[in-house]
Amino acid sequence: MTTISGTTLLTWCRERLAEGGTPASLAWLLDVGAGLARRRYHSLVLHPQAAIQLSRDLDELTHLWRRHLNQVPLQYLLGLCPWREFLLTVTPGVLIPRPETELLVDVATSLMEKGATGAGLWADLGTGSGCLALALAKAFPRRHGVAVDQDPAAVAVATRNLKFVAQRVQVLAGNWWEPLRPWWGHLTMVVSNPPYIPTPTLPQLDPVVRCHEPHPALDGGPDGLQSFRALLAGVSALAPGGWLVVEHGQGQAPALEPLFAAAGLTAIRRHQDLEGNDRFLAASAPHHWP
Ligand code: GLN
């Protein structure tokens, strides 16, 4: 803990912003990295005389800010990412959870709430940091789930993020549905935010993403749809009437819908992000596979 005057902090903020970056990112660094509530940050100008307590000293924060200005995501620098009501551990081995992925949770939970009994198991395929699994575990405290990732680095991070719900959520290493074999036929909700960026467009990604986030978590193959094909190849593991809910890239819904239908899924429905773009697809396994 370090205590400084608001005036000192205000001067420091002005110096940092003169080097580059945005006030929003600086507020993020002070909040997540030094425990300064946004409210305090925004009231600095009005009440500069108040003493401020920070959990990191200014030299350390300056160092982090400069690394951030060199395009390193703040989340990786701090090893933390706020997402929904959680503060998740993140490392460069996992994708930084995106705000829009929070909406996938809303789609899945509303379908689960409608689904009568609450029986059956949920799963998150390609869990990465474990963010989706944690949100589902929180939303359904009496249900059990499984989070799967093929990358041992992601399994380690997800295990850490899910340790408070470890009695109800298993984290398993493996390829898509394969580790779920013991529960095939009993999966009532499967969610996934798989890699979906077409390989040819990876070089066009923002350098912050391209240079630091794990490409296996982004690269969806030549047309961006490879991981959806792998997911759809396993949908017979869903319980009758069970749901598959995925996040996808902008513009991919028209190509995905026929693939979902060809896999035998029904009740295929698009869902939108906050800007109104189709970004999620939900579909149900039939009550009897043909
Ligand atoms: N939304 C991420 C991005 O644009 C991609 C996530 C993914 O491929 N699943 O960087």
Side-chain angles (χ1 to χ4, degrees), residues 179-202:
L180 299 174
R181 193 177 275 272
W183 302 285
W184 282 3
H186 300 280
L187 298 158
T188 48
M189 170 59 69
V190 172
V191 295
S192 184
N193 172 18
Y196 53 67
I197 312 272
T199 312
T201 63
L202 282 174

Side-chain angles (χ1 to χ4, degrees), residues 61-264:
L61 291 167
T62 302
H63 176 68
L64 290 166
W65 183 248
R66 289 182 180 157
R67 290 192 63 200
H68 164 64
L69 294 181
N70 277 327
Q71 315 277 15
V72 186
L74 279 171
Q75 292 90 337
Y76 289 154
L77 289 173
L78 297 178
L80 293 170
C81 178
W83 188 84
R84 282 180 85 94
E85 65 268 52
F86 312 111
L87 187 58
L88 296 160
T89 292
V90 289
T91 70
V94 299
L95 202 70
I96 294 167
R98 306 289 201 264
E100 63 267 29
T101 305
E102 299 189 15
L103 297 170
L104 195 159
V105 177
D106 297 336
V107 175
T109 50
S110 74
L111 288 168
M112 280 166 90
E113 275 155 9
K114 280 184 218 144
T117 61
L121 198 81
W122 58 260
D124 173 18
L125 302 188
T127 194
S129 64
C131 58
L132 287 172
L134 186 58
L136 290 184
K138 175 89 191 297
F140 296 96
R142 277 195 284 279
R143 295 185 61 159
H144 286 250
V146 186
V148 175
D149 207 290
Q150 61 172 5
D151 181 359
V155 169
V157 175
T159 302
R160 185 157 171 195
N161 282 323
L162 290 159
K163 67 171 183 274
F164 298 109
V165 289
Q167 282 168 338
R168 295 187 285 117
V169 185
Q170 286 192 51
V171 186
L172 298 176
N175 211 7
W176 302 117
W177 306 82
E178 190 51 41
L180 299 174
R181 193 177 275 272
W183 302 285
W184 282 3
H186 300 280
L187 298 158
T188 48
M189 170 59 69
V190 172
V191 295
S192 184
N193 172 18
Y196 53 67
I197 312 272
T199 312
T201 63
L202 282 174
Q204 292 152 31
L205 289 178
D206 189 308
V208 183
V209 176
R210 180 165 42 82
C211 302
H212 298 282
E213 300 209 58
H215 281 212
L218 294 165
D219 188 350
D223 62 354
L225 306 180
Q226 274 311 82
S227 25
F228 296 107
R229 292 190 185 91
L231 273 172
L232 291 167
V235 285
S236 60
L238 284 171
W243 289 93
L244 174 67
V245 185
V246 300
E247 177 177 320
H248 60 74
Q250 216 166 313
Q252 289 178 334
L256 279 176
E257 280 164 336
L259 297 180
F260 273 53

